[in-house]
Amino acid sequence: MNMRTVAHRAGVSSATVSRVINGSPLVNPKTAEHVRRVIEEMQFIPNPIATTLKYGWSRTYGLIIPDITNPFYPDFLHSFEELLVKIDHELMLATVGSSADALVHSIRRMLMRQVDGVVLLASEFDTRAVEPLLTRKVPVVTADRRRAQQGISDVAIDFEGGYLQAIAHLASLGHTDIAFVGGTRGLRTSMVRLTAFRRALEAHGIPVQQALLREGDYRVEGGEAAARSLLAQKERPSAIVTANDLTALGVVRELHRAGLHLPQEMSVVGLDDIAMSDLLFPPLTTIRIDRRQIAAACIEALEYTKANLSKQGKRFSVEATLVVRGTTAAPFRARRRSAPSGA
Amino acid sequence: MNMRTVAHRAGVSSATVSRVINGSPLVNPKTAEHVRRVIEEMQFIPNPIATTLKYGWSRTYGLIIPDITNPFYPDFLHSFEELLVKIDHELMLATVGSSADALVHSIRRMLMRQVDGVVLLASEFDTRAVEPLLTRKVPVVTADRRRAQQGISDVAIDFEGGYLQAIAHLASLGHTDIAFVGGTRGLRTSMVRLTAFRRALEAHGIPVQQALLREGDYRVEGGEAAARSLLAQKERPSAIVTANDLTALGVVRELHRAGLHLPQEMSVVGLDDIAMSDLLFPPLTTIRIDRRQIAAACIEALEYTKANLSKQGKRFSVEATLVVRGTTAAPFRARRRSAPSGA
DNA sequence: ATGAAAGCGCTAACAA
DNA sequence: TTGTTAGCGCTTTCAT
């Protein structure tokens, strides 16, 4: 069934049907009403594929994420999809892990489906992979690259603001030996988080202790390993700040295993505020990143970039807010092996 | 850029280009090779939208889920998407909560995009909502409706098998007062799970105690409330079996709050095996439902139904397997207020 | 082995 | 205010 069938039945031309469906004011209200009735009667559903073919756009945005299994992304996806429905767009989803090949293929598939824009949440990627998008004038939005270029906007999270709040909180409790368990070595976003943490410490006049810095992998295992290593050394921290919640969960788990009581014997701060944080015992103090805000920023970025393809993209920033729950408390001096050195 | 451009550049017709791209054997290998080179040179990407318009299919399957935020679904989605990529299909995702309206709209949007089939994981829905799909010969796959009809296949989880294993495990530990915290009242799947639990008890000769049955909501809160209520009554169970892991998490949380020691003072069994189960302390004993298997069954069901649209759909079953971890142990008699009644 | 051309459903420019 | 029609890119039938 198509518009011609409907038009025929309604005794008008397909152009009129098209106009009615698209709410053109150039139709006689009587005719319009009649056509609408026929459409209803015939249960006609228009085929936007034809329009896509004609104009080359699809009211579809692509979303590329590394791993839907990381609890951060379902939350993001939820908000993103909700917002897309509101602006009457479809979602084309691809998960690519950390495979450069998968990324290239996903982008190709999105191009084939004529997406109107792509949000690329994979933190690391070969710039050449997005070139086919740029060539074909498809706007791109990246996350946390902290850099815009022609046709590419970026949505960055204000890690520094978040860590600043966390350190303020810990410092006010009396902590000075604060460890950091970062992300996977070599990722840009890991470096960004580490730098933000260092700056936050410095802003509070707390010296950065090299011996309290660890790398993780944004997963539970990395947190466990780092905690194990921190506990093994003489100069233990009294608080551990992490690069994300899964890492924090691993830290907490390992701390439990070592028989430490939280938060009395060790404070822990996560980052993300995944649902699980609140289910943990004790519930995790963490820096919340509002997925809704990120999703909204991504869509705003998409539309901005689409409208300004010839210009440099724009940089968007999303704030991070400390949520104090149960894993932070004043340090338990008796247990500490070292006295605070500075400040 | 289109096939004509490529054809022109290669000195052939667009028909030949099409044949080369689709691997038709009717082209001279030399010509084919040359055309391939030109395609590569021009970075040509074909536009499958045109094919969709021409033939009415899209190599796209729709997936409708209630809530991506429930940790069961990201796992499922991950497997589903992986399998789709393998068969070179796209995913069109919609999350509909429990809104009947959202379901109707999602289905309409999928129809507009010419999906080749729809997997509908929303447990409850108005049959009229799927009629537009059936009318237009779009195959449908449901989950846990335990019923097939023309154009609709069903993928069911073998809850009974799962609960049978759980009860066998608990019974062998010496439990006889086994409570059940079910799903949301009125949902078909809640009834199915409850029935499966009852049958499993009966199969082991353990009488069903009405006073140990509770309703939940498939979320943490429901588990907490049910646990509170179970602890409040005189005849406490020694073990609690739940309708899903989130419920079990709520139960465990409430038990912790009440100062009970797990698993000594209460055994708990979940269902799903979400990632969090293993992170809990103690790690949750649960009935694993393999998302990969479900995803594979859904796709098999989709293809079967598509190929047999005129016939009754098929019913698929996916097994459930007990994973024994840390929340089950022999009952702690001293603490119990009632003696086992039967068996 | 290759090419010409029709037609999928829709929209908008143009005609009436 | 309404209708006619070209054309978006592709595949396939038919012709050569």
Side-chain angles (χ1 to χ4, degrees):
Chain A
M1 195 192 332
N2 58 29
M3 283 193 181
R4 268 218 319 292
T5 333
V6 176
H8 193 77
R9 186 85 101 84
V12 297
S13 76
S14 64
T16 299
V17 176
S18 172
R19 285 192 267 254
V20 169
I21 286 180
N22 295 296
S24 160
L26 308 170
V27 231
N28 185 315
K30 283 242 169 156
T31 321
E33 187 44 39
H34 175 231
V35 169
R36 263 191 290 272
R37 212 186 329 269
V38 173
I39 286 174
E40 177 61 31
E41 247 176 57
M42 301 181 73
Q43 306 251 56
F44 171 66
I45 293 182
N47 181 348
I49 291 292
T51 312
T52 298
L53 181 60
K54 192 171 167 68
Y55 294 107
W57 43 254
S58 58
R59 301 192 73 81
T60 299
Y61 285 131
L63 173 64
I64 301 179
I65 60 181
D67 175 18
I68 186 68
T69 269
N70 175 332
F72 179 86
Y73 294 106
D75 287 352
F76 172 84
L77 184 57
H78 181 78
S79 296
F80 193 71
E81 206 228 342
E82 200 170 81
L83 294 170
L84 283 188
V85 169
K86 267 195 200 138
I87 57 172
D88 193 25
H89 278 235
E90 299 306 329
L91 168 70
M92 181 167 169
L93 178 71
T95 72
V96 295
S98 52
S99 148
D101 224 50
L103 177 62
V104 170
H105 279 103
S106 298
I107 287 178
R108 187 189 159 88
R109 284 166 41 211
M110 292 188 171
L111 245 11
M112 295 206 295
R113 299 295 168 139
Q114 319 289 125
V115 294
D116 301 337
V118 171
V119 174
L120 180 45
L121 295 191
S123 60
E124 230 63 15
F125 59 87
D126 187 335
T127 317
R128 279 169 303 172
V130 298
E131 249 155 43
L133 291 167
L134 271 18
T135 316
R136 290 166 179 80
K137 313 252 176 254
V138 176
V140 174
V141 172
T142 58
D144 260 315
R145 283 179 83 230
R146 287 153 194 279
R147 156 148 65 98
Q149 51 190 93
Q150 202 188 99
I152 310 187
S153 291
D154 187 63
V155 174
I157 292 154
D158 179 19
F159 292 116
E160 194 166 334
Y163 284 131
L164 229 27
Q165 291 172 51
I167 300 299
H169 168 60
L170 290 173
S172 79
L173 290 169
H175 292 272
T176 52
D177 297 328
I178 304 175
F180 183 71
V181 181
T184 312
R185 167 199 286 276
L187 296 193
R188 175 194 300 268
T189 188
S190 304
M191 186 49 88
V192 168
R193 290 171 206 221
L194 175 60
T195 307
F197 171 78
R198 302 182 85 122
R199 291 232 184 97
L201 272 192
E202 282 157 13
H204 283 84
I206 302 174
V208 177
Q209 298 179 49
Q210 204 62 37
L212 298 184
L213 268 24
R214 291 291 183 285
E215 274 164 354
D217 56 6
Y218 295 114
R219 295 182 307 134
V220 175
E221 292 73 26
E224 291 176 321
R228 213 155 31 234
S229 144
L230 283 167
L231 289 179
Q233 73 187 16
K234 275 230 182 63
E235 315 270 330
R236 284 190 183 179
S238 67
I240 304 178
V241 174
T242 63
N244 77 344
D245 277 355
L246 288 179
T247 304
L249 254 43
V251 167
V252 167
R253 220 177 165 206
E254 189 62 29
L255 260 27
H256 271 315
R257 250 188 232 118
L260 294 211
H261 291 88
L262 266 55
Q264 299 87 345
E265 297 181 276
M266 186 74 78
S267 288
V268 178
V269 178
L271 186 149
D272 275 350
D273 194 23
I274 57 179
M276 218 188 302
S277 323
D278 197 26
L279 295 177
L280 206 69
F281 190 81
L284 187 68
T285 293
T286 190
I287 298 164
R288 170 182 297 159
I289 294 170
D290 187 339
R291 275 67 133 192
R292 230 196 124 65
Q293 265 182 53
I294 303 188
C298 284
I299 290 183
E300 198 189 332
L302 234 18
E303 313 221 292
Y304 174 87
T305 319
K306 190 163 60 177
N308 299 276
L309 264 177
S310 55
K311 285 195 241 163
Q312 181 90 349
K314 208 172 180 170
R315 290 179 50 185
F316 294 77
S317 178
V318 175
E319 65 200 15
T321 325
L322 183 69
V323 180
V324 177
R325 287 201 276 251
T327 53
T328 43
F332 184 55
R333 306 255 157 198
R335 182 76 189 216
R336 301 238 321 288
R337 313 247 173 110
S338 69
S341 51
Chain B
M1 193 194 331
N2 56 31
M3 282 191 180
R4 268 220 318 292
T5 333
V6 176
H8 193 78
R9 186 84 101 84
V12 297
S13 76
S14 63
T16 300
V17 176
S18 172
R19 285 192 265 254
V20 169
I21 286 179
N22 295 296
S24 159
L26 309 170
V27 232
N28 185 317
K30 282 243 170 156
T31 320
E33 187 45 37
H34 175 231
V35 169
R36 263 192 290 272
R37 214 187 325 271
V38 173
I39 286 174
E40 177 60 32
E41 247 176 58
M42 302 181 73
Q43 306 249 59
F44 171 67
I45 294 183
N47 181 350
I49 291 293
T51 311
T52 298
L53 181 60
K54 192 170 167 70
Y55 294 106
W57 44 253
S58 58
R59 300 192 75 80
T60 299
Y61 284 131
L63 173 64
I64 300 179
I65 60 181
D67 175 19
I68 186 69
T69 269
N70 175 330
F72 179 85
Y73 294 106
D75 287 352
F76 173 83
L77 184 57
H78 180 79
S79 297
F80 192 71
E81 205 227 343
E82 199 170 82
L83 294 171
L84 283 189
V85 169
K86 266 194 201 138
I87 58 172
D88 192 25
H89 277 236
E90 298 307 329
L91 168 70
M92 181 168 169
L93 178 71
T95 72
V96 295
S98 52
S99 148
D101 224 50
L103 177 61
V104 169
H105 279 104
S106 298
I107 288 179
R108 186 187 159 88
R109 283 165 42 212
M110 291 186 172
L111 245 10
M112 295 205 296
R113 298 296 168 137
Q114 320 290 124
V115 295
D116 301 338
V118 171
V119 174
L120 180 46
L121 295 191
S123 59
E124 230 62 15
F125 58 87
D126 187 336
T127 317
R128 280 170 304 173
V130 299
E131 249 155 44
L133 292 167
L134 271 17
T135 315
R136 289 167 181 79
K137 313 253 176 253
V138 176
V140 174
V141 172
T142 58
D144 259 317
R145 283 180 83 231
R146 287 151 195 281
R147 158 148 66 97
Q149 51 190 94
Q150 202 188 99
I152 310 187
S153 290
D154 187 63
V155 174
I157 292 154
D158 180 19
F159 292 116
E160 193 166 335
Y163 284 130
L164 229 29
Q165 290 173 50
I167 300 299
H169 169 59
L170 290 173
S172 79
L173 290 169
H175 292 273
T176 52
D177 299 326
I178 304 175
F180 182 71
V181 181
T184 311
R185 166 199 286 278
L187 296 193
R188 175 194 300 268
T189 188
S190 303
M191 184 51 86
V192 168
R193 289 172 207 219
L194 174 60
T195 307
F197 170 78
R198 300 182 86 120
R199 291 232 183 96
L201 273 192
E202 282 157 13
H204 283 84
I206 302 176
V208 177
Q209 299 179 49
Q210 203 63 36
L212 297 184
L213 267 25
R214 291 290 184 285
E215 275 164 354
D217 55 6
Y218 295 115
R219 296 182 307 134
V220 175
E221 292 74 25
E224 291 176 320
R228 214 153 32 232
S229 144
L230 283 168
L231 289 180
Q233 72 187 16
K234 275 227 182 66
E235 313 273 332
R236 284 191 184 179
S238 67
I240 304 178
V241 174
T242 64
N244 77 342
D245 277 355
L246 287 179
T247 304
L249 254 41
V251 167
V252 167
R253 221 179 164 205
E254 189 62 30
L255 261 26
H256 271 316
R257 251 189 231 117
L260 295 210
H261 291 87
L262 266 56
Q264 300 87 344
E265 299 181 274
M266 186 74 77
S267 288
V268 177
V269 178
L271 186 149
D272 275 349
D273 194 24
I274 59 180
M276 220 187 300
S277 323
D278 197 25
L279 296 177
L280 205 69
F281 190 82
L284 187 69
T285 293
T286 190
I287 299 164
R288 169 182 299 160
I289 294 171
D290 187 338
R291 276 68 135 191
R292 230 195 124 67
Q293 265 182 52
I294 303 189
C298 284
I299 290 181
E300 199 189 332
L302 234 19
E303 314 222 290
Y304 174 87
T305 318
K306 190 162 61 176
N308 298 275
L309 264 179
S310 54
K311 284 195 241 162
Q312 180 90 349
K314 208 171 179 172
R315 290 179 50 186
F316 295 76
S317 179
V318 175
E319 65 201 15
T321 326
L322 184 70
V323 181
V324 176
R325 288 202 275 251
T327 52
T328 42
F332 185 54
R333 306 254 157 200
R335 182 76 189 217
R336 299 237 323 286
R337 313 245 170 110
S338 70
S341 50

